[in-house]
């Protein structure tokens, strides 16, 4: 059991299970993009650990960039996604792999889709460590999924509760 701010969380997904999920995503990305020199686009802050591990496991040439969007306050999504840090390079004509820590409602993906369409990318795919099918409300294809989980609030492995918990090597759920 851990306490972050005012809430208690209990162990939910082990570091070993997370590594297996990352291996699965990375293996598929290696099969699909080995000779493509893709740009991995991490969504900060949550995806930093997942992005690092996927990129380390990628065997081909690649480039790395990040964007920062925000939509959460406490344990609830605000429903509004705002861009906090934008792209610093052109993605025109490039193959992009969007690295997300978690896909729940899909609101962040909708905002990133607008950015990528404006950038005129050749194509992009979404790779996420965690996917919540019960919460997902959009039509974007989530091609690479580490693991599907129920619609519970989780922290750890990059995910936070009001800034705390990102450094945890396993995932905890709200008690």
């Amino acid at each position: 059991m851990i306490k972050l701010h005012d809430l208690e969380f209990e162990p939910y997904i082990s570091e070993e299970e997370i590594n297996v999920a990352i291996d699965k995503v990375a293996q598929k990305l290696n099969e699909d993009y080995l000779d493509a020199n893709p740009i991995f686009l991490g969504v900060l802050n949550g995806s930093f650990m997942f992005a690092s591990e996927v990129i380390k496991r990628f065997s081909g040439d690649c480039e790395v960039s990040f964007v920062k969007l925000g939509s959460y306050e406490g344990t609830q999504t605000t429903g509004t996604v705002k861009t906090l840090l934008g792209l610093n390079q052109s993605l025109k004509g490039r193959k992009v792999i969007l690295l997300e820590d978690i896909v729940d409602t899909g609101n962040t993906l909708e905002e990133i889709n607008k950015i990528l369409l404006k950038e005129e990318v050749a194509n992009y795919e979404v790779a996420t460590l965690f996917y919540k099918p019960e919460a997902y409300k959009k039509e974007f294809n989530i091609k690479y999924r580490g693991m599907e989980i129920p619609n519970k609030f989780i922290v750890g492995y990059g995910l936070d509760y009001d800034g705390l918990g990102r450094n945890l090597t396993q995932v905890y759920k709200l008690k």
Side-chain angles (χ1 to χ4, degrees):
M1 198 74 61
I2 61 166
K3 187 171 183 174
L4 302 174
H5 296 297
D6 57 332
L7 297 179
E8 289 189 345
F9 295 84
E10 57 191 11
Y12 184 49
I13 302 169
S14 71
E15 186 174 1
E16 183 179 324
E17 290 172 290
I18 292 167
N19 280 316
V20 167
I22 293 169
D23 286 342
K24 179 176 87 172
V25 170
Q27 179 182 348
K28 189 77 174 114
L29 287 168
N30 273 309
E31 291 169 12
D32 294 351
Y33 285 92
L34 190 60
D35 297 320
N37 188 24
I39 294 181
F40 286 101
L41 184 62
V43 181
L44 296 174
N45 285 338
S47 77
F48 77 98
M49 289 176 86
F50 176 58
S52 170
E53 293 303 319
V54 167
I55 293 162
K56 284 193 285 187
R57 288 166 170 84
F58 189 71
S59 301
D61 291 335
C62 66
E63 295 175 43
V64 179
S65 192
F66 291 91
V67 292
K68 184 173 182 178
L69 297 103
S71 66
Y72 266 79
E73 287 179 10
T75 63
Q76 299 295 315
T77 181
T78 62
T80 305
V81 179
K82 56 186 179 209
T83 303
L84 307 172
L85 177 70
L87 288 169
N88 59 3
Q89 71 185 96
S90 172
L91 300 179
K92 185 173 182 162
R94 298 295 307 272
K95 293 181 179 179
V96 175
I97 301 162
L98 187 67
L99 297 174
E100 272 276 31
D101 52 350
I102 190 165
V103 172
D104 46 29
T105 62
N107 290 339
T108 300
L109 283 182
E110 187 171 59
E111 198 59 33
I112 292 173
N113 182 62
K114 292 176 192 172
I115 293 168
L116 295 177
L117 288 176
K118 194 171 117 186
E119 285 287 318
E120 299 178 17
V121 300
N123 73 308
Y124 77 92
E125 296 290 352
V126 178
T128 186
L129 180 54
F130 303 111
Y131 173 65
K132 294 181 177 179
E134 296 166 36
Y136 191 60
K137 306 285 185 242
K138 306 297 178 185
E139 299 297 319
F140 305 106
N141 181 36
I142 315 301
K143 186 171 182 178
Y144 306 96
R145 303 172 187 181
M147 62 177 67
E148 292 189 5
I149 60 171
N151 192 16
K152 297 182 185 312
F153 186 77
I154 59 174
V155 298
Y157 209 83
L159 297 151
D160 74 307
Y161 168 52
D162 279 348
L164 296 181
R166 291 191 194 278
N167 60 316
L168 301 169
T169 58
Q170 65 180 22
V171 170
Y172 296 77
K173 66 180 177 179
L174 189 58
K175 185 175 177 206

